[in-house]
Amino acid sequence: MKKYLLSLALIALLIGCSKPEPVYKPPTNEQITDYVYSNNLDLEDSIWTNDSAIILLNNSLITLYADQQGKIYDQKMSWGANSSDPVFVGDGSPFIAIIINENLLSSGADRILVTYTNGKSHSRGITGKKGYLIPNTETSEVDNIIILDNDGEELYRKRE
């Protein structure tokens, strides 16, 4: 009987000492700013998703999230430089990252038009920087991406 009670006490102690699963949440604006400055990053764009923040650089994407104690975690994804075509990262749900090359920028690229499989679209102005993150709160994926000049002329089209 003593062995049985000792075993139960040991199991209860082990269960009581186990760490709860961490709960991740998006970092605060201050945490993002600290991360960018402390890592000397040249930020192209950033957005928040449900449980993280996405930072876009010229050739990489960083996902930031925080635990209950405020500790910041990051996941990085990089890609090689491509000067002939824009670079697209993601399928549009919850975001798509678009890196525009110098050729399109010098051709007068003015606007990005993204059309989703559910028929909705999102338009975003090009401000001279190369990278743009376009969030999508729905589950639909990108169907079509068009880059237009300031006259509405199509400079680039990609169908998914």
Side-chain angles (χ1 to χ4, degrees):
M1 183 70 165
K2 272 187 171 181
K3 286 183 183 181
Y4 176 74
L5 290 175
L6 187 57
S7 295
L8 282 178
L10 183 59
I11 291 172
L13 180 63
L14 290 174
I15 291 173
C17 291
S18 66
K19 293 183 178 180
E21 282 291 315
V23 176
Y24 297 108
K25 60 184 179 183
T28 65
N29 197 29
E30 181 179 334
Q31 289 171 318
I32 295 169
T33 302
D34 289 344
Y35 182 89
V36 168
Y37 285 120
S38 66
N39 289 286
N40 198 26
L41 301 177
D42 188 16
L43 185 71
E44 290 285 332
D45 203 1
S46 65
I47 60 171
W48 276 279
T49 63
N50 287 339
D51 57 355
S52 63
I54 311 295
I55 294 176
L56 180 63
L57 308 174
N58 193 30
N59 65 346
S60 61
L61 189 81
I62 302 172
T63 304
L64 296 176
Y65 50 98
D67 65 13
Q68 303 96 305
Q69 286 76 35
K71 182 177 178 187
I72 298 294
Y73 297 88
D74 59 8
Q75 291 180 331
K76 299 174 185 175
M77 179 175 66
S78 299
W79 52 86
N82 182 353
S83 61
S84 62
D85 287 321
V87 174
F88 304 98
V89 180
D91 62 5
S93 180
F95 68 90
I96 186 164
I98 301 171
I99 304 292
I100 300 173
N101 58 31
E102 284 295 330
N103 295 339
L104 281 172
L105 286 174
S106 64
S107 295
D110 184 65
R111 183 154 299 286
I112 301 168
L113 177 63
V114 177
T115 306
Y116 298 96
T117 53
N118 66 0
K120 293 184 179 182
S121 62
H122 180 87
S123 179
R124 176 150 185 198
I126 296 173
T127 60
K129 59 184 179 174
K130 291 183 178 183
Y132 298 89
L133 287 166
I134 299 174
N136 180 15
T137 57
E138 300 185 26
T139 58
S140 56
E141 295 179 356
V142 170
D143 184 43
N144 198 11
I145 300 170
I146 302 171
I147 298 176
L148 305 162
D149 67 11
N150 59 357
D151 294 326
E153 297 293 320
E154 190 176 298
L155 299 175
Y156 181 88
R157 176 183 288 262
K158 177 181 172 97
R159 282 199 72 77
E160 295 295 316

